[in-house]
Amino acid sequence: MSQSRRNPRLLDLYQEYLDDQNAAAFVRNVSRSYSQGTLERLAEHDAPEVRRAAILALGFLGDYTANQTMGRALQDEDRTVRMLSENGIRNVWVRAGGDHERRQLRAIIRLNTAQRYDEALRRATTLLKTAGWYAELWNQRAVAHFALGHYAESIRDCHQALELNPYHFAAAAGMGQAYLKLGNHVLALESFRRALRLNPDLEAVRVQVARLTRLIEDRGA
């Protein structure tokens, strides 16, 4: 089926989702008509409405191979595309690997959310022995390290997450926060700027960049 015939159907499904907020129906209907590869191509369509629909669908359906497409969409000229990409790419980040690794990662995320950082750290360290390729796992261990005051260790884990996933703006921002805790304003600023380059809509990070820039300039004056 040609792209010209596919686009209206995808847009119809997107409009239906906007009207009824029925995510299950949207996912079901899109998955019947579109492959991930086609959605990734449509994510770079000229029409912003098509890009919105494709990015929304990839956030629901895409596996980790959609990471690059979603990461590029963070720079889109359309604010809605950027917003949908920021929300969706976080889902994509946890979809690497097999079922076992995904289940373990989700358990670690729940532990961090529940502030059970020691247990999250222990489980993440164990899983990294066999899943060292999992960028989000490094990021989640960095979260636990940070909460426990292990700032140097958190920075190392953020670096590893970014080595594996260069679109991981959350790891870049987390690294900036850890450098702040260590009093290294120059490297904190560098990390925050990196996060903003990846995701220009991180307003809290933008505030930090402005504050640190003034602070460093004042010290150099």
Side-chain angles (χ1 to χ4, degrees):
M1 185 180 295
S2 69
Q3 178 171 298
S4 62
R5 291 181 63 193
R6 285 178 181 230
N7 289 352
R9 176 60 176 158
L10 181 59
L11 291 178
D12 287 344
L13 296 175
Y14 179 56
Q15 188 57 56
E16 289 172 8
Y17 170 77
L18 294 179
D19 291 340
D20 60 26
Q21 296 295 302
N22 189 334
F26 178 76
V27 168
R28 182 173 61 251
N29 291 327
V30 170
S31 63
R32 287 173 178 169
S33 301
Y34 295 92
S35 68
Q36 178 169 318
T38 300
L39 291 172
E40 289 184 34
R41 289 192 294 273
L42 292 175
E44 299 182 1
H45 196 278
D46 289 340
E49 296 84 0
V50 176
R51 298 199 301 276
R52 293 172 191 173
I55 290 297
L56 176 66
L58 286 169
F60 282 127
L61 293 165
D63 61 27
Y64 188 71
T65 59
N67 182 55
Q68 185 176 25
T69 297
M70 301 289 281
R72 287 197 299 263
L74 292 168
Q75 308 281 336
D76 198 277
E77 62 185 18
D78 182 78
R79 181 171 178 80
T80 301
V81 171
R82 298 197 305 271
M83 179 189 69
L84 291 169
S85 181
E86 180 175 343
N87 293 334
I89 199 171
R90 296 176 187 273
N91 297 327
V92 166
W93 288 344
V94 303
R95 294 179 186 145
D99 290 341
H100 171 73
E101 289 85 6
R102 295 182 189 187
R103 285 195 302 271
Q104 291 295 313
L105 176 63
R106 289 191 176 98
I108 291 164
I109 291 171
R110 288 194 296 271
L111 288 170
N112 273 334
T113 301
Q115 301 182 14
R116 294 164 60 184
Y117 301 116
D118 284 306
E119 188 175 354
L121 179 62
R122 178 183 59 78
R123 292 186 65 164
T125 300
T126 298
L127 185 56
L128 280 169
K129 293 176 182 178
T130 57
W133 42 264
Y134 210 154
E136 183 57 26
L137 180 56
W138 287 100
N139 181 59
Q140 289 299 320
R141 193 172 76 164
V143 169
H145 271 309
F146 182 89
L148 293 168
H150 310 158
Y151 302 123
E153 292 86 348
S154 182
I155 288 166
R156 285 197 293 270
D157 282 358
C158 287
H159 270 297
Q160 189 61 38
L162 282 160
E163 282 292 315
L164 293 166
N165 177 6
Y167 295 100
H168 208 306
F169 57 84
M175 187 159 52
Q177 294 292 348
Y179 276 125
L180 270 186
K181 290 290 189 179
L182 293 175
N184 192 327
H185 293 159
V186 172
L187 290 182
L189 178 58
E190 180 181 307
S191 300
F192 287 138
R193 283 175 170 166
R194 181 176 185 179
L196 271 186
R197 286 195 298 271
L198 294 172
N199 183 354
D201 289 340
L202 296 173
E203 294 307 321
V205 173
R206 190 176 301 281
V207 170
Q208 289 280 28
V209 167
R211 183 183 71 83
L212 288 170
T213 299
R214 288 193 301 269
L215 180 63
I216 292 170
E217 288 175 349
D218 290 345
R219 286 179 176 178

